[in-house]
Amino acid sequence: MASEEPLPHLRPTSWAVLGLLSFGEELSGYDLKKWADWSLRFFYWAPSYSQIYGELRKLEEIGYATSRVVNKDDVRGKRLYTITPEGEQAVARWASEAPVEMPVLKHGVMLRMWLGHASDPDQLRAMLVEHREQSEKMRVRAVADAEGASHEPGWAYPEMVLRWAERYYADERDRADTMLSELDAVRAKQRRSSTAKRTTRARRSSADLRQHRA
Amino acid sequence: MASEEPLPHLRPTSWAVLGLLSFGEELSGYDLKKWADWSLRFFYWAPSYSQIYGELRKLEEIGYATSRVVNKDDVRGKRLYTITPEGEQAVARWASEAPVEMPVLKHGVMLRMWLGHASDPDQLRAMLVEHREQSEKMRVRAVADAEGASHEPGWAYPEMVLRWAERYYADERDRADTMLSELDAVRAKQRRSSTAKRTTRARRSSADLRQHRA
DNA sequence: CCCAGACTATTTCGGTTAGTAATACTCCTA
DNA sequence: TAGGAGTATTACTAACCGAAATAGTCTGGG
């Protein structure tokens, strides 16, 4: 309940790995990666092996996780990680207390739309259609994952987030649809005026930019 | 129109910087950063100085931009960059032809919700409320930016994307509202059962995890 | 029986990216 | 005229990511 000393500064990805462990399983780096690809991927992260293993070493160093080697016969046996009580306490506190930050969004499709003045509208249209389809696919996958998950009471939160993700991708799909019709409107307008002046390339004036920046 | 030789491989952030230049202004790295913070930030990127300047050097090296030094009196005069015709052609082709990739989303708030089983529901609630407010703020800022922008025909695409961004943050806000009520439902259920068994910490069984991974 | 192919498991590598602080000038204003 | 905000660029370091190398295990078909 009470928060005494400050949490050690770890970045979110470390907390994410510790969070995966916080469900109580004894897991290998490989397991962790697989599980993250099932769950965290939809709203946070599809980690690489190098990161997972790096984080695990770090977590063990600071005492939030312990590992034991399961020596199947001989060389390089696999290493299973477990969260420690300190680790459990730390995730719990982090999840409760960390400052709220805006999610990071890197939307390549929108970047290309933003630059649309220079592009072929037909290809932009094709891009949006494909993006729409990809979003729908992600939505479906999120639904499938939510169904595959356990329905024990402890799973209420992951389920909630998966539902959130489903809606997120549904919204993404719908926004693509809206933009598609906006694009069609622009294309229609351009077609109408294209017979008149064909080579004119609209360009922002200095005055506009300055106004915008002000 | 025709796409002859393949585009040089640059990553999206380079294209983004070149894209900013493609509006025709002669800009310094500092200007670029400021403009990116106004526009790209909402859907793509809030770049750091080091990145901007690095990209600009690279862009000049491959001939997509040129620069001239404006020597204000003495030392370290500022350097203004302009896009070259080759650069213009390249952005145009990239924006049309690049493969469509799913946007990257890193949602710390959802990560913490996902880990909710270990946290204090009241604090989760406060986190969601704050996230809701931040989303709304972003929405308002996107609207303000759209209004501040020029309404020339060449600006149709940036405007379209800003409208998209406004809706994006509105949707984000609405999803937070939905989750808020779901969380309240969970809290109500927990309160009802808390008198019975207080210390039980729900934990996933091995069998469940294996099923999920299968 | 044994070989191919798929799966498990971890490490290494190089290049990219990101954040932050340091530097240094200019312009405004109290 | 000193301080603060704004302009402009560079340097440093840690983090990150993808891809591939390595290597053992397990399964089914010939």
Side-chain angles (χ1 to χ4, degrees):
Chain A
M1 225 104 300
S3 59
E4 310 84 15
E5 59 205 75
L7 284 169
H9 179 68
L10 298 177
R11 43 201 72 229
T13 54
S14 307
W15 293 115
V17 172
L18 192 59
L20 288 163
L21 286 175
S22 81
F23 286 84
E25 283 294 309
E26 197 181 22
L27 297 165
S28 67
Y30 189 86
D31 293 332
L32 250 358
K33 154 106 171 112
K34 217 178 350 158
W35 191 16
D37 284 343
W38 270 104
S39 50
L40 297 187
R41 174 168 73 111
F42 292 107
F43 55 91
Y44 196 72
W45 195 36
S48 61
Y49 288 118
S50 37
Q51 259 170 298
I52 293 263
Y53 285 102
E55 298 297 353
L56 284 173
R57 270 189 291 267
K58 214 182 300 172
L59 255 19
E60 189 163 28
E61 225 171 85
I62 59 176
Y64 286 175
T66 45
S67 69
R68 69 190 178 92
V69 175
V70 183
N71 247 334
K72 287 235 171 173
D73 297 327
D74 47 328
V75 273
R76 264 214 294 201
K78 83 168 160 180
R79 187 177 286 271
L80 294 178
Y81 287 85
T82 321
I83 196 169
T84 61
E86 296 82 47
E88 256 175 76
Q89 235 193 304
V91 227
R93 282 189 48 206
W94 176 77
S96 297
E97 298 169 15
V100 178
E101 268 153 37
M102 258 289 132
V104 171
L105 175 67
K106 240 184 192 189
H107 207 306
V109 168
M110 284 308 127
L111 176 59
R112 288 165 65 191
M113 282 305 291
W114 196 72
L115 263 16
H117 66 278
S119 314
D120 173 15
D122 290 332
Q123 291 198 270
L124 288 184
R125 196 173 201 288
M127 171 184 75
L128 278 180
V129 168
E130 196 183 330
H131 173 62
R132 198 218 108 100
E133 274 158 24
Q134 282 185 5
S135 302
E136 174 61 14
K137 244 178 235 160
M138 284 293 273
R139 207 205 99 244
V140 170
R141 257 177 267 171
V143 174
D145 259 36
E147 279 164 4
S150 156
H151 290 280
E152 285 184 53
W155 277 125
Y157 288 100
E159 268 181 78
M160 215 155 121
V161 174
L162 241 23
R163 267 199 303 282
W164 180 94
E166 191 213 328
R167 180 152 160 218
Y168 179 88
Y169 290 105
D171 288 347
E172 186 69 23
R173 179 200 59 197
D174 295 345
R175 283 191 298 269
D177 282 333
T178 302
M179 192 165 250
L180 232 17
S181 42
E182 286 189 44
L183 180 63
D184 285 339
V186 170
R187 288 204 303 169
K189 205 187 286 183
Q190 277 183 355
R191 246 197 305 279
R192 255 177 278 125
S193 64
S194 68
T195 32
K197 30 199 227 143
R198 186 169 295 272
T199 51
T200 333
R201 182 90 276 147
R203 181 165 294 179
R204 192 189 215 190
S205 76
S206 288
D208 286 330
L209 183 53
R210 246 173 271 120
Q211 179 209 334
H212 184 254
R213 282 202 301 249
Chain B
M1 225 104 298
S3 59
E4 310 85 14
E5 61 205 74
L7 284 168
H9 179 67
L10 299 176
R11 38 202 77 226
T13 53
S14 307
W15 292 116
V17 173
L18 192 58
L20 288 164
L21 286 175
S22 80
F23 285 85
E25 283 295 308
E26 196 182 21
L27 298 164
S28 68
Y30 189 86
D31 293 332
L32 250 357
K33 155 110 171 110
K34 218 181 346 160
W35 191 16
D37 284 342
W38 269 103
S39 49
L40 296 187
R41 174 170 73 113
F42 292 107
F43 56 90
Y44 196 71
W45 195 36
S48 61
Y49 288 117
S50 40
Q51 262 169 299
I52 293 263
Y53 286 101
E55 298 296 354
L56 284 173
R57 272 191 290 268
K58 214 182 301 172
L59 254 20
E60 188 163 28
E61 225 171 85
I62 58 175
Y64 285 175
T66 45
S67 69
R68 70 193 178 91
V69 176
V70 184
N71 247 334
K72 286 231 169 175
D73 296 328
D74 46 329
V75 274
R76 263 210 300 197
K78 82 166 159 180
R79 186 177 285 272
L80 295 177
Y81 287 85
T82 323
I83 196 169
T84 62
E86 295 82 49
E88 258 176 74
Q89 235 192 304
V91 227
R93 282 188 48 204
W94 175 77
S96 298
E97 299 168 15
V100 178
E101 269 153 38
M102 258 290 130
V104 172
L105 175 67
K106 238 180 196 193
H107 206 306
V109 169
M110 284 309 127
L111 176 59
R112 287 165 65 192
M113 282 304 292
W114 196 73
L115 262 16
H117 66 277
S119 314
D120 173 15
D122 289 332
Q123 291 198 270
L124 288 184
R125 196 173 199 291
M127 170 184 76
L128 278 180
V129 168
E130 196 184 330
H131 173 62
R132 198 218 106 100
E133 273 158 26
Q134 282 187 4
S135 301
E136 174 62 12
K137 244 177 235 162
M138 283 293 273
R139 207 205 100 245
V140 171
R141 257 176 268 172
V143 174
D145 259 38
E147 277 164 6
S150 156
H151 289 281
E152 286 184 52
W155 277 124
Y157 288 101
E159 268 182 78
M160 215 155 119
V161 173
L162 241 23
R163 268 199 304 281
W164 180 94
E166 191 212 329
R167 179 152 159 217
Y168 179 88
Y169 290 104
D171 288 346
E172 186 70 22
R173 178 201 59 198
D174 295 344
R175 283 190 299 268
D177 282 333
T178 302
M179 192 165 249
L180 231 17
S181 42
E182 287 188 43
L183 180 63
D184 286 339
V186 169
R187 288 204 303 170
K189 205 187 286 181
Q190 279 182 356
R191 245 196 307 280
R192 254 177 279 127
S193 64
S194 69
T195 32
K197 29 199 227 143
R198 185 170 296 271
T199 51
T200 332
R201 182 89 276 146
R203 181 163 295 182
R204 191 190 216 191
S205 75
S206 290
D208 286 332
L209 182 53
R210 249 175 268 120
Q211 178 210 333
H212 184 255
R213 282 203 301 250

